[in-house]
Structure formats: C-alpha cells, structure tokens
Amino acid sequence: MSVNISPLIAPWGRFSLYTFFIDAQHPAVVDTGIASTPADGIAPELEKLGKRAESVEYILLTHGHIDHLGGAHALWEMTGRKAKVVIQGEDLKYLQQRRAHVDNYLGLRDNYIDNPDAEAQQTEMAANAISGEMTADIIVADGDTIDLGDATIRVVHVPGHSMGSVAYVVEGQNDVFVGDSVQVHGAANGFPGYEDPNAYRSSLLKLREIAPQRMYMGHPYRTADGVPYPVELDHDDAMRAIEESLEIEDRIRNVSQAALNDGLSTNDSTYSPFADIAAQLGYEGDPTLEPSPFFTTLDGYRRLFER
C-alpha cells in the first residue's frame, strides 16, 4: 500500500518554493518555505486536498536554509505546537538562531560581494523570512527511520549543498525528497550551489544508487537549455537530473582546479576573483543575487585546490 504525496507550491520573489504533504496515518509536511508560506501556501493548498494544517504531525526539514525552514515555527504553531520538527544535527543551528544565517553569509559570500550594508540587510531578511527560533524534536542521522503509521521514512544524509542536508525516502515506493541536493544547472541564478564540492558529489552518487522511483525537488532546477525540471520527476527524469548534476560538477571542478592552480587574480569584474572561471564556464548570470551560488560553490573549490 502506498501513500499519496502532494506538492504544495508557494512563491518567494524570483523563486518557487516547494513543500510537500505526505498523506499518511501520521501526516507529514516536507519543508516549510518562508515565514508566510504556511498561511499563504501550505494551509490553502491542504484545504484543496480536503486536509487541514492542524492535522500535520511531522515537519520534515531537508536542510537549514531560510527558504526551507523559515515557515517551520509558523506551521508548528498552526498544529497547536504538536507537530514534531525534524532536522539533521549539522543544520540545527539554522533552526535555533536567525543569527546563524547572517553568520553564514558574513563568513562566505561577504568575502566576495562588496556591500557595506550586507550585515544589516541579512539580519532584516532573516527576521522577516524566518517565522521563529526553535529547536527540533527529532535530530536525525543517516539511516534513521520515522514511523508515519502506514509509511516509513528513511533518512539519507546528503551533505554538500549544506552540511546538514538530508533526503527522505518513502520506503516501499522509493519516492525521495531531495531538497536542494540535486542542483543540475541551478535554479533562478543559473549556477549550482553547494558548500562542499566533494560531499556534494558523494551525495549525488548516493542518490544515483538509490535510483528514485519518483524524486521531489526543492526548486525548479534547470536543464542546460534553461528549461525547469518539474517538481515531481519520474524515474527516468530523476536519473537524468542526477547524471546531469554529476557532469556539471565535474566540469566546474576541472575548470576551477586548473584556474586555481594557475592562481586567482582580483580585478573589477563582478565575478572577481573567479572571472576566468566564469568565462570558461560561459556563466553570464549575476553572481551577487542572493543566494549567490556562484560564490558559494567556487569558494568550496578554492578551499580544495588553492595553493
């Protein structure tokens, strides 16, 4: 017997935020969007299904970025504070403290983007987009399971995009929620984003081994032609997205390693100090637009290869 899964889609600026409802004996929502998503997206979408937000018993977070956990506190409040909130330990700080998101920006992207107001802007954004600070009821690790009554969810640790990223596998039907762990060519920014290139690659290989029957994406990630993948991918499209992600990672890795071995140079380019890498990859997007995956990813290769 299989459980039904329904995408619940809500917008945020340039992005489409995907959350999901698992219609199990103990119902679950996977990811929560930003602070406004539970009221503006999740609740009305559930009503269309004849369900109520109050009935949600588990809130399963794929990782700790604002657009996935920002609505967690608000949804938890809607359930009468009864739903169990689930996250992997390495991303727990992002659920507990808005400041952790600001510190992540200041410790990484702020090194490349000249914006004297960055700290104030990031602090304001976190205050507005995160509905509340809280801790988790369940801190999961690789291989853990969550019993939804008529469905069992297996946790697969897939670090790379963030170090606490997980995929949730619905046992028996091999449906997999991957969050942002399969980036392909990226989403709105047109560049894949991951903090740790080696971990990201290893996680893609792990997901390829799982070979999802259906795969649920965190955003409309894009093909080489800029065409968004759908929110729900069948087996063939899921495997194609994983393989394409591996190929893209390999290309970025090779170009980055060669450039970093030659040495970076700082100039007035918006892509500095990675302007040569952007040119070789043919990347012409705006690298300063949040969440700035270009700088996040290339900083990861810099830590790997720079001499």
Side-chain angles (χ1 to χ4, degrees), residues 97-108:
Q97 301 175 8
R98 289 183 176 96
R99 180 68 198 189
H101 299 270
V102 180
D103 289 343
N104 176 268
Y105 181 92
L106 295 177
L108 175 58

Side-chain angles (χ1 to χ4, degrees), residues 57-90:
E57 297 185 34
Y58 286 88
I59 299 170
L60 308 179
L61 301 173
T62 61
H63 64 292
H65 289 164
I66 283 175
D67 51 332
H68 292 259
L69 63 64
H73 191 279
L75 181 57
W76 177 67
E77 290 275 7
M78 283 181 170
T79 70
R81 299 191 168 190
K82 294 178 182 178
K84 297 184 186 302
V85 179
V86 181
I87 198 169
Q88 204 273 347
E90 290 186 70

Side-chain angles (χ1 to χ4, degrees), residues 145-302:
T145 58
I146 300 165
D147 183 7
L148 300 185
D150 52 354
T152 298
I153 306 297
R154 177 165 55 91
V155 177
V156 180
H157 189 201
V158 285
H161 176 69
S162 76
M163 297 318 292
S165 291
V166 296
Y168 294 109
V169 181
V170 184
E171 296 279 53
Q173 58 196 74
N174 207 33
D175 294 341
V176 186
F177 303 92
V178 297
D180 292 351
S181 296
V182 179
Q183 288 272 317
V184 203
H185 283 271
N189 290 65
F191 201 89
Y194 40 90
E195 296 178 359
D196 185 319
N198 285 347
Y200 176 68
R201 185 168 191 83
S202 294
S203 294
L204 287 170
L205 293 171
K206 190 184 293 187
L207 290 168
R208 184 172 71 179
E209 183 71 19
I210 292 171
Q213 182 62 30
R214 281 178 293 269
M215 188 166 78
Y216 296 91
M217 308 279 271
H219 298 283
Y221 289 109
R222 305 184 183 195
T223 68
D225 298 326
V227 178
Y229 277 93
V231 55
E232 178 183 319
L233 279 64
D234 63 19
H235 172 76
D236 289 345
D237 278 347
M239 298 305 290
R240 181 163 65 92
I242 293 169
E243 290 294 346
E244 194 172 0
S245 297
L246 284 163
E247 291 167 6
I248 294 161
E249 191 284 320
D250 188 59
R251 181 163 181 251
I252 297 173
R253 175 181 294 262
N254 290 335
V255 170
S256 298
Q257 184 170 13
L260 287 161
N261 285 343
D262 290 340
L264 297 176
S265 60
T266 302
N267 54 39
D268 61 1
S269 166
T270 265
Y271 304 95
S272 179
F274 306 117
D276 289 345
I277 296 173
Q280 289 186 61
L281 293 172
Y283 179 61
E284 298 178 344
D286 184 349
T288 67
L289 286 176
E290 275 292 281
S292 308
F294 177 81
F295 288 124
T296 296
T297 298
L298 292 185
D299 182 80
Y301 291 108
R302 186 177 192 175

Side-chain angles (χ1 to χ4, degrees), residues 8-20:
L8 312 172
I9 302 173
W12 182 34
R14 298 175 297 119
F15 300 95
S16 291
L17 308 179
Y18 293 158
T19 73
F20 305 91

Side-chain angles (χ1 to χ4, degrees), residues 24-39:
Q25 182 181 348
H26 303 294
V29 164
V30 180
D31 287 336
T32 61
I34 59 167
S36 59
T37 303

